[in-house]
Amino acid sequence: MIVLKTSRELSIMKEAGRISAAALKLAGEAVEPGVTTAEIDRLAEKYIRSQGAVPNFKGYGGFPATACISINSEVIHGIPSKKRVIRAGDIVSIDLGAVFEGYNGDNAATFAAGDVSDEAKALMDATRESLYEGIRMAKAGNRIGDISAAVQRYVEARGYSVVRQFVGHGVGTSLHEAPEVPNFGTPGHGIRLLPGMTLAIEPMINAGTEKVKTLADGWTVVTLDGKLSAHFEHSVAITAEGPQILTLA
């Protein structure tokens, strides 16, 4: 069931989104060679709790941390660790969110650790821009497929592939709500977008094959060919005036 939010609920979600976005910004600023992913995770959790919110990933389905931190060929759901040290040239995807007054924020971005390769920069830029291509289509009256097709068209035109096994989703009092928001699809198809819908749009884009696998830890998803992956996400509200990004610091 798709839940349409009231203006009051959207205002709470905007605050949940602000906290989520500020935590992500803080985490991204900490991405430096020599830093462990566990240090970044602690930083994000401390900030979220300082704002009167709680991390929504921690304990979700048994996930043990505040942030999913995925490096290079890791696509999503990387588990922070004291043993995982970021190295110069890594690209680091961080996905996190906060619950504030019962409503969820959810966002992600990929950050560079020092100087990264031109290949990595181009992938990150394309993935980030594909998110905004999708958001531009998140208008009342459009359909989910319009968002999906916009993301797919943008990245495939640049020689990248769209992860199909994992998709975006609705967001609200639950972290994952209906409807699913794939990053591939056909314009004019799927659920019609209505004011009050709130979506987490999140392109997961690979430099090589779209195929992925989950590691033995049961969480970390990696590219099957070992090539780089990038991930960007915003929580977005559908309004009569156009898409409103909720996860802004």
Side-chain angles (χ1 to χ4, degrees):
M1 182 179 69
I2 296 172
V3 180
L4 302 181
K5 280 71 175 183
T6 65
S7 58
R8 176 185 171 277
E9 289 173 315
L10 287 177
S11 69
I12 298 171
M13 287 192 68
K14 191 172 181 180
E15 180 60 10
R18 182 198 67 77
I19 295 167
S20 301
L24 181 63
K25 183 174 184 289
L26 197 64
E29 289 170 349
V31 171
E32 295 285 351
V35 174
T36 69
T37 54
E39 290 176 86
I40 295 172
D41 187 72
R42 284 196 300 272
L43 190 69
E45 179 172 1
K46 182 179 179 180
Y47 175 78
I48 289 169
R49 294 190 186 280
S50 77
Q51 300 298 299
V54 295
N56 50 15
F57 288 12
K58 195 163 191 177
Y60 186 82
F63 190 76
T66 289
C68 299
I69 305 180
S70 310
I71 300 175
N72 295 332
S73 62
E74 296 171 356
V75 183
I76 50 174
H77 301 164
I79 301 173
S81 168
K82 294 177 181 178
K83 297 179 180 178
R84 193 71 191 274
V85 180
I86 294 169
R87 297 178 298 183
D90 284 345
I91 63 171
V92 182
S93 297
I94 302 175
D95 186 3
L96 57 77
V99 183
F100 179 75
E101 294 186 6
Y103 289 84
N104 286 268
D106 189 8
N107 58 180
T110 302
F111 302 92
D115 293 328
V116 300
S117 67
D118 290 342
E119 175 193 10
K121 287 178 186 175
L123 175 64
M124 291 167 64
D125 288 346
T127 306
R128 184 189 304 107
E129 186 53 39
S130 76
L131 169 60
Y132 290 101
E133 289 289 313
I135 290 172
R136 279 190 274 274
M137 299 306 294
K139 301 174 183 177
N142 278 358
R143 293 184 180 271
I144 289 289
D146 296 313
I147 298 172
S148 305
V151 173
Q152 181 181 10
R153 190 165 50 238
Y154 188 87
V155 297
E156 290 185 351
R158 286 152 182 80
Y160 302 120
S161 63
V162 173
V163 173
R164 293 170 180 252
Q165 195 170 329
F166 298 90
V167 298
H169 50 89
V171 62
T173 54
S174 296
L175 178 56
H176 294 96
E177 296 184 349
E180 290 190 341
V181 187
N183 295 302
F184 58 93
T186 305
H189 286 235
I191 297 291
R192 189 173 296 280
L193 304 178
L194 300 173
M197 291 175 65
T198 44
L199 308 175
I201 302 172
E202 52 175 323
M204 292 155 273
I205 308 301
N206 295 347
T209 179
E210 70 191 39
K211 296 186 182 302
V212 300
K213 65 179 180 180
T214 303
L215 298 184
D217 63 16
W219 284 103
T220 309
V221 176
V222 301
T223 59
L224 197 59
D225 57 10
K227 292 187 177 181
L228 296 175
S229 186
H231 181 200
F232 284 83
E233 175 185 23
H234 272 306
S235 296
V236 178
I238 310 300
T239 78
E241 293 74 36
Q244 179 185 19
I245 297 174
L246 299 172
T247 40
L248 294 174

